[in-house]
Amino acid sequence: MPGGTGAGALLSILRDGRARTRAELVQLTGLSRSAVSQRIDALLHQRLILPGEDTTPSGGRPATAFSFNREARVVLAADLGVTHARIAASDLGGAVLAERAADLPIDRGPEPTLSWVLDTFRELLAECGHRASDVCGVGVGLPGPVDHESGTAVNPPIMPGWDGFPVPDWLGERLGVPVLVDNDVNIMALGEHWAVYPEVEHLIFVKAGTGIGCGIIAGRRLHRGARGAAGDIGHIRIPTVDQVQCRCGYVGCLEAVAGGAALVARLRDAGLDVADGRDVVRLTKEGNPLAIRLVRQGGREVGSALASIVNFFNPTLIVIGGDLVEAGDHLLAGVREMIYGRSLPLATQSLSIRASELGDRAGVTGAAVMVIERILDPETVDRSVAT
Ligand SMILES: [Zn+2]
């Protein structure tokens, strides 16, 4: 059975939500009845499974069915963007129990930002009736390059004070649980794939917000690359716009022409009152012709960068998320126009391009999933029941 033959592998079977009897688990695992009973006892002791009501198979003795206890622990998740944040508490099935969204500029620096996150975590726990001791882990998404192993941002261009800041240590010392950190787009890709498209093998999630980036699911797993920089399409050079300066220091980057910050600047130049990507969305929904034209052209720029990536990676699904996708079909229309016009027919034959289903919840869902998959990994479960 996948994940070994221990209690963790048994729990993996039950995580699909179906209750099963000892006899069913014996059949599914090939283990002896006593081995199954021993693993069930260990999982019951940890409250990771619950015994259900006795069921009576036709002609047989009553048997107890066991099911995964999603409520055994709480996961805390923080999706920190450039200008705003979303914080959530969720159960082990990824369901959100309580959440909060707020304006929170990341350039305030790590300690003020994380102090707010910590206070909000405590409020959310109280709101959903849980204690700090119920928390099994914390997942955090940051809007910049993150070294996932150490959980630190690496040379983030718009996050003063965050470079190398030990987020896992800072939060871990205060909450006493493991803290996992990744960049915001990776967790969005993880969340959308896990919650909406678990059956899709190869998926690209594009975040079109203040910046632009993408998360890559390859063979149903998140592909981070050697140092966590995979998917950073925002700084792909677009040859036609060589004169535009990017915040990263180079010129002609995709983000510098199609990112939310770039659109905000263009609309301001035209005398419109806009502060961030949400204002761009508002103007587009109000039918402002310049905003619509800029969003659509931004979609084309993103699409032309993605056209090469589609040829290279051959995904079956591209999901577009982030603030700008809220602007109706204009962004997606631009993206589709370029990808279907420029990618190889073999690569686009079975390709769908859709807006994110989870919307602004994709990040917190993915941050929670990152923790759940680590905590419920069969090996981790085997270790925790052995102690
Ligand atoms: Zn750049």
Side-chain angles (χ1 to χ4, degrees), residues 189-277:
L190 207 55
E192 189 87 14
H193 181 256
W194 194 81
V196 189
Y197 304 107
E199 77 292 352
V200 173
E201 291 265 336
H202 309 297
L203 173 158
I204 288 180
F205 186 103
V206 179
K207 180 183 183 185
T210 305
I212 294 174
C214 80
I216 303 159
I217 302 287
R220 299 193 190 189
R221 297 178 69 87
L222 184 65
H223 173 78
R224 294 188 171 94
R227 289 297 310 275
D232 202 350
I233 58 167
H235 304 282
I236 285 179
R237 193 164 171 189
I238 308 289
T240 50
V241 292
D242 259 356
Q243 71 287 6
V244 184
Q245 178 73 42
C246 180
R247 62 184 177 174
C248 74
Y250 290 102
V251 290
C253 294
L254 173 64
E255 188 172 296
V257 285
L263 303 189
V264 166
R266 304 268 292 277
L267 289 165
R268 274 191 192 153
D269 287 348
L272 291 155
D273 181 23
V274 283
D276 59 20

Side-chain angles (χ1 to χ4, degrees), residues 76-89 96 98-104 116-117 120-121 124 139-141 187 278 323 358-365 367:
L76 298 173
D79 175 21
L80 306 180
V82 176
T83 54
H84 45 283
R86 183 170 285 259
I87 312 288
V96 171
E99 67 182 322
R100 190 95 80 247
D103 288 326
L104 185 75
W116 180 86
V117 168
T120 310
F121 277 158
L124 293 182
V140 179
I187 60 169
R278 285 173 295 184
D323 282 349
L358 294 183
D360 47 18
R361 260 191 180 176
V364 282
T365 303

Side-chain angles (χ1 to χ4, degrees), residues 6-309:
L10 203 88
L11 184 65
S12 294
I13 294 172
L14 293 171
R15 279 181 65 194
D16 68 1
R18 255 192 65 204
R20 291 178 178 86
T21 62
R22 278 191 179 82
E24 284 175 298
L25 290 167
V26 165
Q27 202 178 26
L28 281 165
T29 58
L31 292 168
S32 70
R33 193 173 171 87
S34 66
V36 164
S37 290
Q38 184 243 333
R39 284 154 182 72
I40 284 174
D41 288 345
L43 294 171
L44 283 170
H45 185 70
Q46 297 270 333
R47 295 191 305 119
L48 287 168
I49 60 170
L50 293 172
E53 284 175 22
D54 286 352
T55 56
T56 311
S58 52
R61 288 183 304 159
T64 307
F66 298 91
S67 57
F68 175 44
N69 180 17
R70 300 161 59 120
E71 284 142 38
R73 312 271 190 282
V74 177
V75 179
L76 298 173
D79 175 21
L80 306 180
V82 176
T83 54
H84 45 283
R86 183 170 285 259
I87 312 288
S90 80
D91 68 14
L92 288 177
V96 171
L97 305 171
E99 67 182 322
R100 190 95 80 247
D103 288 326
L104 185 75
I106 199 82
D107 61 9
R108 276 169 145 198
E111 297 217 18
T113 305
L114 293 175
S115 297
W116 180 86
V117 168
L118 191 65
D119 290 345
T120 310
F121 277 158
R122 290 181 175 138
E123 286 170 28
L124 293 182
L125 280 174
E127 229 173 274
C128 62
H130 281 281
R131 290 175 302 190
S133 57
D134 298 330
V135 178
C136 65
V138 177
V140 179
L142 296 177
V146 170
D147 177 44
H148 180 64
E149 290 298 315
S150 66
T152 55
V154 181
N155 288 322
I158 42 155
M159 298 166 60
W162 287 87
D163 187 18
F165 186 86
V167 177
D169 295 348
W170 198 96
L171 282 173
E173 277 164 18
R174 288 156 179 84
L175 289 161
V177 290
V179 179
L180 303 178
V181 186
D182 207 333
N183 78 56
D184 57 348
V185 195
N186 278 352
I187 60 169
M188 291 170 94
L190 207 55
E192 189 87 14
H193 181 256
W194 194 81
V196 189
Y197 304 107
E199 77 292 352
V200 173
E201 291 265 336
H202 309 297
L203 173 158
I204 288 180
F205 186 103
V206 179
K207 180 183 183 185
T210 305
I212 294 174
C214 80
I216 303 159
I217 302 287
R220 299 193 190 189
R221 297 178 69 87
L222 184 65
H223 173 78
R224 294 188 171 94
R227 289 297 310 275
D232 202 350
I233 58 167
H235 304 282
I236 285 179
R237 193 164 171 189
I238 308 289
T240 50
V241 292
D242 259 356
Q243 71 287 6
V244 184
Q245 178 73 42
C246 180
R247 62 184 177 174
C248 74
Y250 290 102
V251 290
C253 294
L254 173 64
E255 188 172 296
V257 285
L263 303 189
V264 166
R266 304 268 292 277
L267 289 165
R268 274 191 192 153
D269 287 348
L272 291 155
D273 181 23
V274 283
D276 59 20
R278 285 173 295 184
D279 287 334
V280 178
V281 170
R282 176 180 51 77
L283 281 175
T284 311
K285 284 185 171 162
E286 287 169 9
N288 181 288
L290 178 61
I292 290 173
R293 194 154 50 81
L294 288 175
V295 168
R296 174 125 189 173
Q297 183 55 32
R300 288 194 194 102
E301 306 288 5
V302 173
S304 71
L306 286 175
S308 314
I309 288 162

